Amino acid sequence: MSTQTILPIDRNSVIDHSKGNNEPEWMTNLRLQALELAGQLEYPVLEKTKIDRWKLDAINSRSVAQSTPIQELPETVKTLLENQNDPLVFNNSAGETFSRLPEELANQGVIFTDLNTALQQHGDLIQPYFMKAIQMDEHKFAALHAASWNGGVFLYVPKNVVVDVPLQALLMTDGTNAAYSPHILIIAEDNSSVIYTDSLVSAAGEGEQSANAVVEVFVKQGAKVHFSTVHQMGDHMIDIAYRRAVVEKDGSIEWVVGEMNSGNSVSDTTSVLEGAGANSDAKVICVGVNDQSLNLTTRAVHIGKNTHSEMGTRAVMRDQSTAIINGITKIEKGATGAHGEQTERVLMLSPEARGDANPILLIDEDEVTAGHAASVGQVNPDHIHYLMTRGISKEDAERLIIYGFLAPIVSEIPLEKLEQRLRQVVERKLL
């Protein structure tokens, strides 16, 4: 079934937006080319998820965003902005930006700022990579994003530079009926190393709102990138997030993804292991509540020889929420010595909740190893009973079991503050 809709943006608004940000001509032309593609493409067909029933007109609409006074921002946001020691980029849908980077990192050539500023100062560095990991002709979401992205982060780590301190970004939707399409672009040159974390949050709002985010990570030879993200938006938000890393020889990418939204969400996290010896490790958690609909895909594409991938997704579903959990290991012809493992586990707290775990192996080469595991079930009553015999209430026993179920992934977040906030979000969603 086609889900074609009238485009929520037009050529004039795209040109005005690009010129208003003083973007180079090549970016304006790219936006216009993407807009033309968006009119021809359809939304992606997602397994057992009827996105044609979602209010997709909110995707990339051009309503005016309203800024939020700092005293009205969430406490977690204010704390990050007020801490003068941590490297930080703040960006919201109203166009407000703030960045902070220690001088010692800047002196080593590290660039960490909002994408709009980076485009004006480092456009020649950005152009070869922008919308290259995720092609804008893949589907309508990608094309609309390329045409109307309106914020994001640029991180560049030069060759042989090791960044020990985590770099944080805070991305925030704001206003009424305002779309937010942040673009995160990370380039880690040969033998570099970096830890990047971000949070995507929403301010209180009315009406349908949306986020259509794209993440592109380029991991060069021998480089290491750790990418952690937590999406925490309200039930008035539709969240679309496509993440893709291209990993060259002996490089590695680690993903830790917390999908903590309260509204309908699509999440696709892909590692393309192009070079020999490339590695990826992806861990994803989500908690579904009310009538929320989630579609989460984790994918590893093995192209180079002797590549290695690990994927693990854990979902907790309650009320009438539904989740489709896809794990895809694709081993291309010629990727000899490849090894891929994946695990999908779903814990249901309500008889009306539903979670489908779909492990998929697509193998076009003989000299490889691959495996998968999947489980869907409810909390084991024997475990509850055992804890209750030790003096623990039933509610606390369930909470402990859920935390234990999610702990292997939550504990992988390298920033203690972000890990603590994720635990708090999980607790609020499960109360």
Side-chain angles (χ1 to χ4, degrees), residues 26-27 115 118-119 122-130 154 185:
W26 68 262
M27 177 57 75
L115 186 58
L119 191 62
H122 309 285
D124 291 344
L125 183 57
I126 294 173
Q127 185 175 7
Y129 296 97
F130 190 86
F154 178 63
L185 177 59

Side-chain angles (χ1 to χ4, degrees), residues 89-287:
V89 170
F90 170 76
N91 191 282
N92 70 7
S93 57
E96 297 173 323
T97 62
F98 171 81
S99 62
R100 181 172 60 221
L101 182 67
E103 185 176 353
E104 60 182 287
L105 291 178
N107 290 339
Q108 294 180 72
V110 175
I111 303 170
F112 184 53
T113 188
D114 68 278
L115 186 58
N116 297 91
T117 298
L119 191 62
Q120 297 177 33
Q121 299 177 355
H122 309 285
D124 291 344
L125 183 57
I126 294 173
Q127 185 175 7
Y129 296 97
F130 190 86
M131 295 304 294
K132 295 298 190 296
I134 297 178
Q135 301 289 327
M136 59 188 184
D137 61 355
E138 291 187 17
H139 46 67
K140 188 184 287 288
F141 286 139
L144 282 173
H145 172 91
S148 61
W149 69 270
N150 59 345
V153 177
F154 178 63
L155 170 58
Y156 176 80
V157 186
K159 182 178 180 180
N160 298 323
V161 172
V162 176
V163 182
D164 294 323
V165 59
L167 306 182
Q168 303 177 68
L170 178 61
L171 310 170
M172 184 176 176
T173 69
D174 210 349
T176 302
N177 293 334
Y180 187 33
S181 300
H183 191 103
I184 293 101
L185 177 59
I186 298 175
I187 305 168
E189 296 285 8
D190 293 359
N191 302 311
S192 64
S193 178
V194 68
I195 299 171
Y196 169 87
T197 72
D198 70 29
S199 301
L200 180 54
V201 301
S202 63
E206 298 178 358
E208 295 295 328
Q209 298 181 34
S210 71
N212 182 11
V214 163
V215 175
E216 298 185 288
V217 183
F218 294 89
V219 185
K220 298 302 183 69
Q221 183 171 326
K224 297 180 180 179
V225 176
H226 188 295
F227 185 106
S228 298
T229 183
V230 176
H231 283 212
Q232 179 193 352
M233 291 183 285
D235 57 9
H236 61 292
M237 295 291 304
I238 295 174
D239 183 28
I240 311 295
Y242 279 83
R243 310 175 186 93
R244 190 167 301 168
V246 179
V247 188
E248 297 184 8
K249 180 180 179 182
D250 296 326
S252 68
I253 176 74
E254 294 181 63
W255 303 96
V256 178
V257 178
E259 299 291 357
M260 295 291 114
N261 299 312
S262 295
N264 294 341
S265 304
V266 173
S267 171
D268 186 301
T269 304
T270 298
S271 301
V272 181
L273 306 178
E274 284 193 346
N279 287 268
S280 69
D281 186 346
K283 297 180 175 67
V284 181
I285 66 169
C286 71
V287 177

Side-chain angles (χ1 to χ4, degrees), residues 7-19 21 23 31 35 57-66 93-95 116 143-151 176-181 208 210:
L7 290 179
I9 51 177
D10 58 30
R11 183 181 177 88
N12 289 336
S13 65
V14 168
I15 294 175
D16 290 343
H17 178 74
S18 186
K19 290 185 176 180
N21 288 331
E23 294 176 355
R31 287 184 182 274
L35 180 65
D57 288 344
I59 299 293
N60 298 95
S61 61
R62 273 295 177 206
S63 300
V64 177
Q66 306 294 324
S93 57
N116 297 91
L144 282 173
H145 172 91
S148 61
W149 69 270
N150 59 345
T176 302
N177 293 334
Y180 187 33
S181 300
E208 295 295 328
S210 71

Side-chain angles (χ1 to χ4, degrees), residues 271-326:
S271 301
V272 181
L273 306 178
E274 284 193 346
N279 287 268
S280 69
D281 186 346
K283 297 180 175 67
V284 181
I285 66 169
C286 71
V287 177
V289 297
N290 301 321
D291 60 351
Q292 185 179 10
S293 176
L294 302 170
N295 188 292
L296 311 181
T297 298
T298 311
R299 182 186 294 104
V301 181
H302 295 253
I303 299 174
K305 299 180 184 298
N306 301 312
T307 51
H308 183 99
S309 68
E310 299 275 349
M311 296 184 290
T313 301
R314 300 201 176 200
V316 177
M317 311 303 295
R318 59 173 293 183
D319 306 322
Q320 297 83 40
S321 60
T322 61
I324 305 299
I325 311 296
N326 301 308

